[in-house]
Amino acid sequence: MSITSSSAQQNTTPDGPITFSIPAQDADAALTELAKQANTTLLFPFDIAKRVKANALSGSFTLNEALVLLLEGTPLAVVTSAAGEISIRSRAALEVKAQDGREVAKNKQDDGEHQLERIAVVGTRSTPRSVVDSPVPLDIIGSDALAAQGNSDVLSMLSSMVPSLSVNDQPINDATSLVRPANLRGMASDHTLLLVNGKRRHRSAVITFLGGGLSDGAQGPDISVIPAYALKQVEVLRDGASAQYGSDAIAGVINFALKDSPSGGSVALKTGVYSEGDGALFQLQANQGFALGNHGFLNATVEYRQQEGTSRSVQRDDAAELIDMGNTAIANPAQVWGALDVNEDVKMSINTGWRFSDHVEGYTFSTYAHRDIAGGFYYRNPQTREGVFSQTDDVSGVRTLLVGDLDGVGQGIACPTIVLDSANVLDNPLYQQIADNSTEVGANCFAFNEWFPGGFTPQFGGTITDASLTSGLRIDLNNGWALDVSGSLGYSDIAYTLSGTVNPSLGPDTPLTFSPGSVSQIERTFNFDLTKLIDTPLAEPVSLALGAEWRRETYFQHAGDEASFEAGPLAYDPNTGLSQGFSIGSNGFPGYQPQSAGHWSRSNWALYSDVELFVTDPWQLALALRVEHFTDFGSTFDGKLSTRYQFNDYTAVRGSINTGFKAPTVGQSNVINVTTAYAANGLEDQATLPPTDLISQQLGASALQPEESVNYSFGAVMQLNANIFATLDYFTIRLSDRISTTSAIPLTQEDIDALTALGREDAVNYNAAKYFTNDFGTRTQGIDFVLHYEENLWDWQNKLILAYNWTDTQVERVTLYPTLVDGVMQLRPNLTSQRIRMLEDNLPAHRGSVTLEQSQGRLNFIWRMNYFSDFYEDHLDASAGMDIYGSDTLTFDAQVAWYYSPTMRVTLGAQNLFDNTPEENPFKGEVGALYPPTSPGGINGAFYYLGFEHTFN
C-alpha cells in the first residue's frame, strides 16, 4: 500500500470550522485540495485514493467532519492518533490490522517513508505530485530509506540510492577533498541546483581546482552540510529546470524537505569501522518537534559526528629507494591515500511554521554546519623536491642540494656545492659538515634535510562553516490568488590549514604551521510568487504561477598569514639582487597574498511564469518561461515544455524539452589560487587565475560567458496495480561553452620575461598556469529505469526496487588556441586527450542497484546489490601516460533491524559486505595509491556498523 503525504506546508491540525469548496472528484485530488484549503498535512493511501471517487463538499466544517463527509461510502476511513494527528487509512486494512509487534515495522511503512511513493513539490508550482504522476523523472526518498545504510553523510546516502548521481572519494585533491563534488546525470557538480523546502540554497565557497576531470573548476553546492536526520524526504528531479529555478539546474534539482512534525522526536547513535580496522565512526543524532500554541510547530535537529581517516596505501617507489640507500628517517608509507579525518562535524537545523489566521501563515527554517577536516598532500622527496631540497641547472641538467647561505651569497663564509645522485645525501661528507651546526660552515649553511632527513608530507585541512536562513509568508488573497514572499541568506566559509610543511624561502626561520587564507560565499535571495487555479472548460482547473526573484552573490578571498606567502631572504637578497633558488610560500598551498584578497559581487533579477493544465482528462501539459538578467554578462531567456499522457489506468508516457544555462560564478571570474599538483615531470606549482589576469591574457584567455544547454527527455510510466510500477526515461543534454579550468599550460621563459617586464614579478614562482574559460561543448545522453514491486509471501512483507542508469558523454567541440609549434603558429586545443577521456569515461557508463526489503514481526531486513561498470582514470590528472582502465565492480550491502519495543530498535549492517576492492593500481609505486582513487565503488572496502534509535512522543 502506498501512503502519500499531502501538505500545505504545515503540520498542525486546525481546531475550528473551516470553509470548504471541493467538487466531486478522485479522492487523491480531493484530499490534496482539502489539505490545501485547511492548511494542514494529511497522510493517505495514494494508490487506493486515486481509484476512489470522493463526495462533493461545500460549507463550514471542522477538519474531522469534512473528512468524514468527503469519504462517506468510500473504502477510506478517517483515523485520529492519540496525539490528535489525522490520517486516512484503508477500511479493509483497519479491520484486519494485527496488534502484535509486527505492526512496529509496518507502521514505519504506513507513515510514508518508502523512497518512491511520496508526494513531491519540486519541479512544479501546482499541486504536488507522486513519482508516477510527474511529467518528468523524479525520485522521492523518505527518511527511513536514507537511514537504512551505513553512510553517515547525506551525499553518500543519495549516491547509493540514485544511480544517476555519482560521487567518489578525493583523497589528495586540494580543496576538492573537503567538499566532494557530486555529479548528476554525468554533469559537473555545479550543474545541479539545491533547494531546501523548495527554496534555492547557496553554493559552497570551494572551487574544485582539481576536480577529477569532470568537475575541474566547478563551484557547486556542498550537499554534505545538510543534516540527514532533519530530512522528511529528498526529491531528486532528474530533468533540466533552469526555466523554473534559474542558473545551475541543467542536470536537475535536489530538494531537501525538512521534518515538520509538531510533536515527538527521536535520538540515534551509530558506530562503525572498516574491515581494515580504520575509519572508526561515532555519530549521535537527535530530533524533536514542538507545538507553537495551537497553530504552529518547531522541529529541531542536531547531529554530531567524528570519523577517523583511512589508509589504502603502499610505499612509494622513490621512498623505498631512499630506504635502500640507507635513509632510515622515512615513514612507511611516506604518503597516505584514503578517507580524510573528520575531527568534528556538527550540523543543526530548525524548521518552523505558524498560522496567523485562516489566510496567512509564516515559516522560517535555518541550517548550520561546522566541520573540521584534515588530510594530506604529496610526499616531498628529500633529494628531488625542487625549491625545497634541490635545484637543477637549466643548462647542464645537474641537480644539486639546495643549501641556504645565511650570511648572503658571496659574503662571509661560502657554502659547499653538493651534487645529488643515487647516493644517500645524508652520508655525503660535505652535507655532514653542513649538518654540524657547531662549525662555522654548519652555522652559516642550512639545508632542510637537517629538519626533514626523510622528507616530509604536508598535512592539509580546513574548517568549514556553513549557515542559511529563510523566512517568508504565504497569504491566500481574496481573489483566489495565493502569495508566497520570502527572503534567504546563505553563507559558506572555508578556512584552510596547513601543517608539517615550510616556507622554504624563510630558511630556518620558517614556521611549520600556516593559515594560508580562507574563502567565503554569501548569497541573498528574495522571491515573490503568485499562484492561482483558474476554472476553464478544460477537464481540470488551469494552474497559473507568476514570480520574480532577486539575488546577490559575493565571493570573498581572505589573505593568509604573512609567513604563508612571504618571500624570505633565501628567495631574494636585496643586497645582491640574487635568488638562492628556494621557493616562496607555504609549500603545497602558498597563502593568498594581500593583492589577491578582496571581494567581488554581482546581482541578478528574474521574472518567470508557469502554466499547467489538462488539455483533456488524460493529457497534461506544462509550460515554463524565465527571463534573467545578470549585472556582469547580460540576460538569458529560457523555456520548458513538458507533457504527460495517460493511455489507461496502467500506462502513461511523458516527455519534456527545455533550454538551460549556468552563469559563471563570481568566484570563477575572480579567484586566484596556487597549488602543488602532479604533472608529467612530477610535482609542480600551478597557478589558477581569473581570465582577466595578465598572465591568463598572455596565455589567450577571454571573459567568461554563461553555459547554454538544450535538454530533451521522454519516457513511460507503468503501474499495473498498487503493488508494482515502473518508469523508463531517456534524456539528452547538449551543453555548449562549458566553463572549466584549462589543462595546465607551462610558462616558458619567454612568457615569464614578458610578464616580469609588465610588472608581474610573481610569474617566476609558477611552473604552469591555468585559467577559467568556456573551453568545450558536450553531448550527454542516458537512460533511467526504476522498477518497484511489493508482494506478501507467507508472513513476510517484501519490497523489491530495481534502479538502473546508463549515461554516455561525448566531447563534441573544443576551443582552439594559437600555439607556436616549431616556429610555426598553429591552432590547437588546450584540453589534453587524457582530460577529454576523463570527461567522457571517468564515471562508469552503467550503474545499477537491486534492493530487497523484507519484514516479519519485529525484524526488518534490507539487502542491496550495487553494480558499477568499467571506468577510465588519468592517474593523478597528470596527463603523463598513467592511463588506468578499471574493470566493473559488484558490491553487496546488508542490514537487519530489530524492533525490540514499539519505540526502540537496534540496527546491524555492512556496506560492501564481502569487502570487494578495486583492482590494484598499476602505477601504485608512483605516489603510493594502492587503488585508483576515483574507483566508483570506493577504495576503502567493507564498512560494518551498529546503530540504536529511540523514538518518543
Side-chain angles (χ1 to χ4, degrees):
M1 180 182 295
S2 171
I3 302 296
T4 299
S5 171
S6 177
S7 175
Q9 306 300 326
Q10 183 169 310
N11 203 37
T12 54
T13 301
D15 53 4
I18 305 166
T19 300
F20 294 97
S21 179
I22 301 173
Q25 56 188 308
D26 290 344
D28 62 322
L31 288 168
T32 299
E33 182 60 27
L34 183 143
K36 182 177 180 180
Q37 293 184 17
N39 286 327
T40 191
T41 296
L42 292 175
L43 297 174
F44 62 88
F46 179 77
D47 295 323
I48 297 177
K50 69 184 296 185
R51 292 174 171 79
V52 171
K53 289 293 184 182
N55 306 309
L57 181 69
S58 180
S60 296
F61 309 96
T62 65
L63 179 61
N64 199 57
E65 291 171 342
L67 286 168
V68 170
L69 293 171
L70 191 75
L71 301 175
E72 186 176 7
T74 73
L76 299 174
V78 182
V79 177
T80 304
S81 71
E85 295 178 341
I86 297 176
S87 61
I88 312 301
R89 294 290 185 267
S90 163
R91 295 182 189 274
L94 291 172
E95 290 171 1
V96 300
K97 182 177 180 181
Q99 300 300 320
D100 60 13
R102 77 183 64 181
E103 287 301 310
V104 175
K106 184 176 184 299
N107 287 341
K108 298 296 288 185
Q109 301 160 13
D110 287 348
D111 285 341
E113 300 296 352
H114 198 279
Q115 66 178 45
L116 295 171
E117 298 179 342
R118 294 172 64 84
I119 286 289
V121 298
V122 68
T124 179
R125 290 187 172 90
S126 182
T127 304
R129 299 194 181 95
S130 69
V131 170
V132 293
D133 283 339
S134 173
V136 290
L138 182 65
D139 295 313
I140 307 176
I141 304 170
S143 58
D144 264 18
L146 290 171
Q149 52 183 302
N151 293 310
S152 57
D153 67 277
V154 71
L155 175 57
S156 299
M157 293 176 183
L158 288 177
S159 67
S160 67
M161 304 295 293
V162 181
S164 57
L165 180 67
S166 299
V167 60
N168 50 36
D169 294 325
Q170 303 284 338
I172 302 178
N173 251 2
D174 209 331
T176 311
S177 301
L178 309 182
V179 179
R180 296 180 300 159
N183 310 112
L184 181 64
R185 282 192 159 181
M187 308 304 290
S189 58
D190 54 2
H191 291 142
T192 301
L193 177 65
L194 255 61
L195 308 175
V196 175
N197 283 355
K199 303 297 182 180
R200 174 185 276 267
R201 185 171 174 83
H202 61 279
R203 70 181 80 251
S204 168
V206 165
I207 299 175
T208 56
F209 300 108
L210 303 173
L214 180 60
S215 292
D216 283 350
Q219 187 183 1
D222 186 1
I223 298 178
S224 64
V225 298
I226 304 291
Y229 210 59
L231 299 177
K232 180 171 67 174
Q233 68 181 35
V234 181
E235 304 153 8
V236 183
L237 176 68
R238 294 177 275 111
D239 194 58
S242 292
Q244 295 164 296
Y245 299 107
S247 178
D248 305 349
I250 289 176
V253 179
I254 302 177
N255 180 46
F256 296 94
L258 300 177
K259 291 178 180 177
D260 54 7
S261 173
S263 63
S266 58
V267 60
L269 174 67
K270 180 184 287 185
T271 184
V273 68
Y274 283 99
S275 55
E276 296 289 330
D278 54 10
L281 167 71
F282 172 81
Q283 183 177 54
L284 183 62
Q285 302 167 301
N287 171 266
Q288 176 67 56
F290 304 91
L292 298 180
N294 294 324
H295 305 288
F297 72 91
L298 184 151
N299 193 279
T301 303
V302 62
E303 290 186 6
Y304 177 81
R305 176 174 71 110
Q306 282 186 330
Q307 188 160 18
E308 297 175 354
T310 63
S311 176
R312 303 297 177 264
S313 316
V314 296
Q315 186 61 283
R316 293 169 49 126
D317 287 345
D318 59 344
E321 290 174 3
L322 290 173
I323 294 173
D324 292 341
M325 290 161 48
N327 190 329
T328 60
I330 297 172
N332 188 13
Q335 179 178 325
V336 173
W337 289 86
L340 278 64
D341 283 299
V342 180
N343 299 320
E344 182 181 74
D345 187 4
V346 178
K347 302 169 191 170
M348 293 181 284
S349 78
I350 295 177
N351 187 27
T352 64
W354 60 94
R355 195 171 72 252
F356 295 110
S357 68
D358 290 341
H359 303 290
V360 181
E361 65 171 315
Y363 58 89
T364 295
F365 53 89
S366 62
T367 64
Y368 172 81
H370 181 86
R371 184 164 74 242
D372 184 16
I373 303 177
F377 271 170
Y378 291 103
Y379 169 66
R380 271 54 176 170
N381 187 300
Q383 297 196 189
T384 62
R385 179 57 175 131
E386 294 283 299
V388 183
F389 296 106
S390 67
Q391 63 179 346
T392 302
D393 187 272
D394 292 334
V395 178
S396 66
V398 175
R399 176 180 289 151
T400 57
L401 185 70
L402 259 183
V403 179
D405 193 332
L406 302 183
D407 63 8
V409 177
Q411 303 179 44
I413 299 172
C415 295
T417 298
I418 303 173
V419 176
L420 295 172
D421 51 27
S422 59
N424 182 5
V425 69
L426 302 180
D427 295 332
N428 189 298
L430 292 177
Y431 168 76
Q432 293 175 351
Q433 185 180 5
I434 292 172
D436 185 358
N437 293 328
S438 64
T439 67
E440 290 184 347
V441 170
N444 178 64
C445 302
F446 174 78
F448 278 105
N449 305 70
E450 299 178 55
W451 287 11
F452 306 103
F456 63 92
T457 302
Q459 299 301 296
F460 174 74
T463 299
I464 298 173
T465 304
D466 190 282
S468 67
L469 174 67
T470 297
S471 188
L473 287 174
R474 295 188 184 92
I475 305 171
D476 291 330
L477 305 178
N478 294 330
N479 54 7
W481 287 93
L483 171 65
D484 185 341
V485 57
S486 65
S488 299
L489 177 65
Y491 171 75
S492 172
D493 178 82
I494 316 291
Y496 299 118
T497 59
L498 198 61
S499 62
T501 188
V502 297
N503 179 342
S505 68
L506 294 175
D509 295 326
T510 179
L512 300 180
T513 300
F514 302 87
S515 297
S518 64
V519 291
S520 304
Q521 175 88 7
I522 295 179
E523 297 184 25
R524 287 144 285 191
T525 306
F526 292 93
N527 286 92
F528 183 90
D529 297 297
L530 284 166
T531 58
K532 184 177 184 179
L533 291 176
I534 303 174
D535 289 325
T536 70
L538 298 176
E540 299 283 348
V542 175
S543 172
L544 175 64
L546 303 171
E549 180 179 271
W550 178 87
R551 188 157 49 97
R552 184 170 179 82
E553 298 179 57
T554 304
Y555 180 79
F556 295 83
Q557 187 160 287
H558 308 279
D561 57 34
E562 186 175 3
S564 69
F565 60 78
E566 182 182 0
L570 299 188
Y572 179 76
D573 186 345
N575 297 319
T576 63
L578 299 175
S579 172
Q580 297 195 38
F582 287 81
S583 63
I584 299 170
S586 45
N587 194 258
F589 195 117
Y592 296 133
Q593 301 183 35
Q595 57 266 35
S596 66
H599 67 276
W600 304 268
S601 299
R602 71 129 177 260
S603 300
N604 66 286
W605 56 262
L607 300 174
Y608 47 89
S609 64
D610 291 355
V611 178
E612 300 187 30
L613 54 92
F614 283 84
V615 180
T616 62
D617 190 49
W619 184 16
Q620 178 185 354
L621 198 65
L623 174 66
L625 298 173
R626 186 183 189 97
V627 60
E628 194 151 356
H629 178 78
F630 292 79
T631 56
D632 54 353
F633 66 80
S635 302
T636 68
F637 178 80
D638 291 281
K640 179 174 183 176
L641 177 67
S642 57
T643 186
R644 182 180 184 275
Y645 189 85
Q646 185 84 34
F647 285 109
N648 49 49
D649 289 341
Y650 312 109
T651 309
V653 294
R654 61 190 182 186
S656 72
I657 177 173
N658 63 85
T659 62
F661 74 102
K662 193 198 84 66
T665 71
V666 183
Q668 289 172 328
S669 298
N670 296 281
V671 69
I672 297 176
N673 183 73
V674 180
T675 189
T676 303
Y678 214 85
N681 296 319
L683 289 181
E684 66 178 21
D685 291 330
Q686 297 176 356
T688 302
L689 305 168
T692 55
D693 188 90
L694 189 60
I695 295 178
S696 302
Q697 296 287 322
Q698 174 81 10
L699 299 174
S702 57
L704 293 176
Q705 297 298 318
E707 303 175 351
E708 302 283 350
S709 72
V710 178
N711 296 24
Y712 305 88
S713 72
F714 59 86
V717 178
M718 179 186 69
Q719 183 160 16
L720 298 181
N721 53 50
N723 296 328
I724 182 170
F725 72 82
T727 62
L728 176 67
D729 296 278
Y730 168 82
F731 66 90
T732 296
I733 305 171
R734 286 190 179 273
L735 184 56
S736 59
D737 297 324
R738 287 186 65 162
I739 298 172
S740 179
T741 55
T742 64
S743 298
I745 304 172
L747 286 174
T748 66
Q749 190 58 49
E750 290 78 7
D751 291 328
I752 294 173
D753 292 343
L755 290 164
T756 303
L758 293 173
R760 287 299 299 269
E761 290 86 358
D762 61 325
V764 301
N765 301 324
Y766 311 144
N767 302 109
K770 301 187 291 185
Y771 57 86
F772 288 94
T773 182
N774 299 96
D775 211 19
F776 57 98
T778 59
R779 176 176 182 263
T780 300
Q781 61 179 335
I783 292 174
D784 291 315
F785 175 71
V786 176
L787 171 68
H788 173 257
Y789 175 69
E790 295 183 22
E791 188 65 59
N792 294 339
L793 294 176
W794 301 288
D795 291 332
W796 288 87
Q797 298 172 354
N798 301 283
K799 294 183 180 181
L800 179 69
I801 302 170
L802 189 154
Y804 165 78
N805 168 262
W806 166 71
T807 299
D808 175 74
T809 295
Q810 296 295 321
V811 176
E812 295 189 319
R813 183 202 63 81
V814 295
T815 302
L816 301 178
Y817 300 89
T819 306
L820 193 63
V821 181
D822 298 328
V824 179
M825 190 64 68
Q826 300 180 9
L827 290 177
R828 290 195 170 187
N830 168 260
L831 287 184
T832 64
S833 59
Q834 291 91 344
R835 176 81 180 280
I836 292 174
R837 187 74 188 274
M838 286 287 284
L839 289 164
E840 295 179 340
D841 298 328
N842 182 234
L843 296 182
H846 303 273
R847 285 192 61 194
S849 66
V850 179
T851 302
L852 174 63
E853 181 177 348
Q854 299 178 297
S855 299
Q856 185 190 50
R858 298 176 181 268
L859 294 176
N860 176 266
F861 295 89
I862 295 177
W863 316 95
R864 182 181 295 116
M865 180 181 70
N866 310 286
Y867 172 74
F868 309 89
S869 67
D870 55 359
F871 69 101
Y872 166 81
E873 178 184 305
D874 172 28
H875 192 44
L876 310 179
D877 291 330
S879 297
M882 291 185 287
D883 300 312
I884 298 175
Y885 301 92
S887 60
D888 52 1
T889 302
L890 202 63
T891 64
F892 293 87
D893 305 330
Q895 175 181 288
V896 56
W898 175 43
Y899 295 86
Y900 63 90
S901 80
T903 61
M904 297 185 183
R905 72 172 178 179
V906 175
T907 302
L908 179 66
Q911 283 190 297
N912 193 358
L913 176 65
F914 301 114
D915 198 21
N916 191 15
T917 54
E919 295 177 349
E920 289 194 4
N921 176 8
F923 308 101
K924 60 185 178 182
E926 190 71 29
V927 293
L930 178 59
Y931 306 115
T934 63
S935 298
I939 64 174
N940 287 310
F943 181 74
Y944 308 109
Y945 59 93
L946 176 67
F948 169 83
E949 184 174 36
H950 172 60
T951 59
F952 42 85
N953 295 323

